[in-house]
Amino acid sequence: MIANETSLDYSELKTTDDIRHFNEYACVIGQTDRLPRESLNPVILGLFGEVGSLLAVSKKLYREREAFPWHNDSLTEEFGDVLWYFATLCKRLGICVSTILQELAETYQTIARPISKDHALISLGKSTAVLLDDSSTLSKQELESFARHYAQALGACGLDFRTVIESNVAKITGRFIEPDPHSLPTFDEEFPQDEQLPWHFKIRITQRKSGMSYMQWNGVFIGDPLADNIAEPDGYRYHDVFHLAHAAILHWSPTFRALIKHKRKSVSKVDRTQDSGRPIVIEEGLTAWLFSRAKQLDFFQGQSSVSFDILKTVQQFVRGYEVEQCPLKLWERAILEGYKVFRQTKENRGGTIIGDRASRSIRYASI
């Protein structure tokens, strides 16, 4: 391991903006590093895996061609993930992350001649394999070689280094850092009260002898009676709990709006694009897809987090709708709290669901 070394021999930072930008990223690295501290192996393995994912995106472009139009977005994300692991590795070794980033930026800007994308990516893979070979004896030269090949690959793919950093910051802070409640969107605060989701609500869910579940708000039945509609009963009849969790925690649920007739009809475009048919289908589809994954995970029993892969799929589901403004950390809370209440409702065959938008919370109470 590199000992007693605080920085590599790189050029001076050139602008105040660069200093701020790179220092901010170095700070984010420290806040989002959740990997075990007793060994470098998880970081090295993560770096190797992300470089593999980066190469796989390029391979898919060969296979899919015009059927893979979003490859630039995928490359930007993968380059960002690679950068996170490399910066984390440097930080663990006591190397100044902002200085590393400056060197990468300078290398990116001063590449003498462009090289082919394939050659650049393969060279990056080779330099990664060197780091994987023996993480206990990493040298300054090996890290510099990786940084140089990373910058060359970035240039060969035609991507902007600053964009990669900004994209990665948005991704990892949204996933790992608890959001400032005052910065979160509410979506309907400027609309009349009868077009807002209720700020506090109690929904009663009961199951009758028929096995169908019924839902009441303020003593009035809302929605249709529900069954599981599957050969092996799994409790999906109570899935409205998830819409209630979305409403309370995300301040979003076109399904719940429709059920209580609180759609934002005073602005026809909002009603049409955020509260009506297609958005409702999106939420229902997302809920059904997530439920199928949750069944494999014992409905998140005993879990304190949600897989990043699941959260990224959630993000893809809601792209283009107002709720995409909600960070993944908030989605994680909505999923875990929603499934906690779902498990209680399923176990007791009903109950009272209490949602509070002010505290962005949902809880279960007996009927």
Side-chain angles (χ1 to χ4, degrees), residues 79-118:
F79 268 108
D81 292 342
V82 171
L83 181 64
W84 186 92
Y85 277 99
F86 180 61
T88 299
L89 175 62
C90 291
K91 191 174 182 67
R92 293 280 188 94
L93 293 172
I95 299 169
C96 179
V97 173
S98 59
T99 308
I100 284 281
L101 296 175
Q102 178 64 20
E103 168 64 10
L104 282 170
E106 291 177 353
T107 302
Y108 174 79
Q109 293 168 0
T110 59
I111 295 173
R113 61 182 180 84
I115 60 177
S116 74
K117 182 172 67 174
D118 287 355

XYZ file of all heavy atoms in Angstrom, residues 79-118:
320
model
N -19.114 5.532 -16.557
C -17.871 6.265 -16.301
C -17.927 6.929 -14.925
O -16.917 7.002 -14.206
C -17.620 7.322 -17.375
C -16.775 6.847 -18.519
C -17.336 6.611 -19.769
C -15.414 6.627 -18.360
C -16.554 6.169 -20.840
C -14.631 6.188 -19.419
C -15.205 5.954 -20.659
N -19.100 7.430 -14.555
C -19.258 8.029 -13.231
C -19.066 7.011 -12.125
O -18.420 7.289 -11.103
N -19.606 5.805 -12.296
C -19.449 4.762 -11.286
C -17.990 4.334 -11.160
O -17.483 4.102 -10.052
C -20.321 3.551 -11.644
C -21.807 3.830 -11.526
O -22.175 4.818 -10.849
O -22.609 3.085 -12.120
N -17.306 4.226 -12.300
C -15.879 3.898 -12.270
C -15.112 4.974 -11.504
O -14.259 4.681 -10.658
C -15.317 3.749 -13.698
C -13.787 3.635 -13.664
C -15.914 2.531 -14.398
N -15.439 6.226 -11.790
C -14.758 7.338 -11.124
C -14.982 7.289 -9.621
O -14.055 7.537 -8.837
C -15.259 8.665 -11.695
C -14.622 9.927 -11.115
C -13.133 9.960 -11.449
C -15.313 11.176 -11.650
N -16.208 6.962 -9.203
C -16.499 6.900 -7.764
C -15.599 5.879 -7.074
O -15.006 6.154 -6.027
C -17.971 6.555 -7.526
C -18.350 6.619 -6.073
C -18.852 7.698 -5.398
C -18.232 5.569 -5.102
N -19.048 7.384 -4.076
C -18.684 6.094 -3.861
C -17.793 4.246 -5.156
C -18.700 5.337 -2.691
C -17.801 3.483 -3.979
C -18.252 4.024 -2.770
N -15.486 4.701 -7.655
C -14.661 3.665 -7.024
C -13.182 4.035 -7.038
O -12.458 3.780 -6.064
C -14.885 2.310 -7.706
C -16.110 1.592 -7.191
C -17.316 1.635 -7.886
C -16.069 0.889 -5.988
C -18.439 0.985 -7.403
C -17.197 0.244 -5.491
C -18.372 0.293 -6.199
O -19.488 -0.334 -5.711
N -12.734 4.640 -8.138
C -11.328 5.038 -8.198
C -11.032 6.135 -7.179
O -10.028 6.087 -6.464
C -10.963 5.509 -9.603
C -9.525 5.934 -9.752
C -8.504 5.037 -9.528
C -9.211 7.237 -10.102
C -7.171 5.429 -9.639
C -7.883 7.638 -10.219
C -6.858 6.727 -9.987
N -11.918 7.127 -7.096
C -11.737 8.213 -6.136
C -11.805 7.683 -4.703
O -11.056 8.135 -3.827
C -12.792 9.295 -6.358
N -12.700 6.719 -4.460
C -12.804 6.114 -3.134
C -11.532 5.359 -2.788
O -11.032 5.431 -1.648
C -14.016 5.160 -3.082
O -15.210 5.906 -3.333
C -14.137 4.496 -1.716
N -10.986 4.648 -3.759
C -9.722 3.947 -3.549
C -8.612 4.927 -3.178
O -7.862 4.705 -2.213
C -9.341 3.172 -4.813
C -7.977 2.461 -4.811
C -7.919 1.407 -3.711
C -7.701 1.834 -6.177
N -8.527 6.015 -3.919
C -7.499 7.028 -3.633
C -7.687 7.615 -2.231
O -6.724 7.790 -1.476
C -7.541 8.136 -4.678
S -6.986 7.597 -6.315
N -8.932 7.898 -1.887
C -9.217 8.473 -0.570
C -8.820 7.498 0.533
O -8.245 7.900 1.554
C -10.699 8.828 -0.462
C -11.059 9.661 0.763
C -12.510 10.086 0.716
C -12.863 10.957 1.905
N -12.180 12.254 1.868
N -9.115 6.207 0.332
C -8.749 5.197 1.328
C -7.228 5.110 1.497
O -6.733 4.744 2.554
C -9.288 3.828 0.896
C -10.808 3.691 0.885
C -11.367 3.445 2.278
N -12.791 3.128 2.234
C -13.278 1.884 2.202
N -12.459 0.857 2.173
N -14.579 1.690 2.195
N -6.509 5.421 0.422
C -5.047 5.361 0.460
C -4.415 6.666 0.931
O -3.198 6.808 0.955
C -4.507 5.007 -0.930
C -4.834 3.593 -1.430
C -4.408 3.437 -2.881
C -4.163 2.541 -0.561
N -5.252 7.642 1.284
C -4.734 8.909 1.777
C -4.274 9.859 0.697
O -3.504 10.786 0.955
N -4.760 9.649 -0.532
C -4.382 10.495 -1.658
C -5.455 11.553 -1.873
O -6.646 11.261 -1.799
C -4.196 9.650 -2.935
C -3.074 8.635 -2.718
C -3.907 10.512 -4.145
C -2.982 7.588 -3.794
N -5.049 12.765 -2.153
C -5.982 13.886 -2.318
C -6.876 13.663 -3.540
O -6.400 13.645 -4.680
C -5.200 15.189 -2.458
S -6.249 16.629 -2.700
N -8.164 13.500 -3.309
C -9.098 13.196 -4.392
C -9.230 14.364 -5.358
O -9.253 14.182 -6.582
C -10.481 12.809 -3.825
C -11.504 12.663 -4.952
C -10.383 11.511 -3.033
N -9.310 15.594 -4.845
C -9.482 16.750 -5.738
C -8.284 16.906 -6.670
O -8.424 17.320 -7.825
C -9.707 18.024 -4.932
O -8.622 18.280 -4.067
N -7.093 16.553 -6.187
C -5.913 16.616 -7.030
C -5.951 15.538 -8.107
O -5.566 15.772 -9.259
C -4.634 16.470 -6.182
O -4.681 17.411 -5.111
C -3.396 16.719 -7.018
N -6.406 14.356 -7.737
C -6.594 13.277 -8.711
C -7.532 13.730 -9.825
O -7.281 13.520 -11.010
C -7.186 12.028 -8.017
C -6.110 11.307 -7.202
C -7.801 11.067 -9.022
C -5.186 10.457 -8.014
N -8.633 14.367 -9.442
C -9.618 14.807 -10.424
C -9.038 15.869 -11.349
O -9.312 15.891 -12.552
C -10.860 15.348 -9.711
C -11.644 14.340 -8.874
C -12.780 15.031 -8.133
C -12.201 13.222 -9.745
N -8.236 16.757 -10.792
C -7.621 17.791 -11.617
C -6.680 17.166 -12.654
O -6.664 17.564 -13.820
C -6.857 18.789 -10.747
C -6.144 19.885 -11.523
C -7.095 20.794 -12.288
O -8.287 20.850 -11.973
N -6.590 21.480 -13.298
N -5.928 16.167 -12.231
C -5.020 15.503 -13.167
C -5.810 14.808 -14.276
O -5.425 14.847 -15.450
C -4.157 14.490 -12.415
C -3.367 13.530 -13.294
C -2.327 14.210 -14.174
O -2.076 15.416 -13.978
O -1.775 13.532 -15.058
N -6.910 14.169 -13.898
C -7.765 13.534 -14.897
C -8.276 14.560 -15.899
O -8.294 14.316 -17.109
C -8.947 12.832 -14.214
C -8.651 11.477 -13.572
C -9.842 11.023 -12.735
C -8.332 10.438 -14.633
N -8.714 15.712 -15.386
C -9.234 16.762 -16.269
C -8.151 17.266 -17.219
O -8.404 17.472 -18.411
C -9.787 17.915 -15.433
N -6.948 17.447 -16.702
C -5.861 17.941 -17.543
C -5.452 16.914 -18.596
O -5.180 17.250 -19.746
C -4.672 18.312 -16.664
C -4.934 19.538 -15.796
C -3.775 19.849 -14.870
O -2.834 19.028 -14.811
O -3.810 20.903 -14.217
N -5.422 15.640 -18.193
C -5.095 14.575 -19.150
C -6.148 14.525 -20.249
O -5.839 14.391 -21.435
C -5.005 13.213 -18.436
O -4.014 13.283 -17.419
C -4.641 12.105 -19.427
N -7.409 14.652 -19.839
C -8.516 14.620 -20.789
C -8.382 15.748 -21.821
O -8.630 15.563 -23.013
C -9.829 14.746 -20.031
C -11.062 14.882 -20.903
C -11.627 13.770 -21.513
C -11.651 16.137 -21.101
C -12.758 13.896 -22.311
C -12.769 16.269 -21.897
C -13.320 15.137 -22.496
O -14.429 15.264 -23.285
N -7.958 16.919 -21.362
C -7.873 18.088 -22.239
C -6.634 18.087 -23.128
O -6.589 18.772 -24.147
C -7.873 19.371 -21.387
C -9.198 19.610 -20.664
C -9.078 20.695 -19.615
O -8.019 21.274 -19.415
N -10.180 20.956 -18.921
N -5.614 17.308 -22.756
C -4.341 17.383 -23.475
C -3.954 16.077 -24.156
O -2.776 15.842 -24.420
C -3.216 17.792 -22.503
O -3.135 16.810 -21.449
C -3.478 19.163 -21.909
N -4.948 15.208 -24.408
C -4.646 13.975 -25.136
C -4.079 14.346 -26.501
O -4.710 15.066 -27.284
C -5.915 13.108 -25.291
C -6.400 12.631 -23.919
C -5.655 11.914 -26.199
C -7.715 11.913 -23.935
N -2.874 13.862 -26.792
C -2.158 14.295 -28.006
C -2.894 13.909 -29.276
O -3.023 14.700 -30.198
C -0.751 13.692 -28.005
N -3.385 12.718 -29.326
C -4.110 12.294 -30.526
C -5.210 11.333 -30.109
O -5.029 10.520 -29.196
C -3.167 11.611 -31.525
C -2.502 10.355 -31.013
C -1.560 9.769 -32.052
N -0.920 8.554 -31.558
C -1.468 7.341 -31.604
N -2.684 7.187 -32.096
N -0.820 6.291 -31.137
N -6.353 11.430 -30.727
C -7.446 10.530 -30.357
C -7.110 9.092 -30.725
O -6.447 8.830 -31.726
C -8.625 11.056 -31.190
C -7.983 11.766 -32.348
C -6.704 12.345 -31.823
N -7.541 8.163 -29.899
C -7.382 6.745 -30.201
C -8.762 6.126 -30.309
O -9.759 6.703 -29.880
C -6.544 6.035 -29.120
C -7.229 6.160 -27.742
C -5.140 6.608 -29.069
C -6.497 5.418 -26.645
N -8.840 4.940 -30.885
C -10.141 4.311 -31.079
C -10.772 3.975 -29.732
O -10.067 3.727 -28.736
C -9.991 3.031 -31.902
O -9.409 2.002 -31.124
N -12.087 3.988 -29.703
C -12.803 3.711 -28.467
C -12.480 2.311 -27.954
O -12.233 2.120 -26.749
C -14.313 3.861 -28.690
C -15.135 3.627 -27.424
C -16.593 3.970 -27.628
C -17.260 3.021 -28.606
N -18.714 3.267 -28.708
N -12.470 1.335 -28.847
C -12.182 -0.040 -28.423
C -10.805 -0.145 -27.790
O -10.627 -0.753 -26.734
C -12.273 -1.000 -29.620
C -13.707 -1.250 -30.056
O -14.628 -0.761 -29.365
O -13.908 -1.924 -31.077
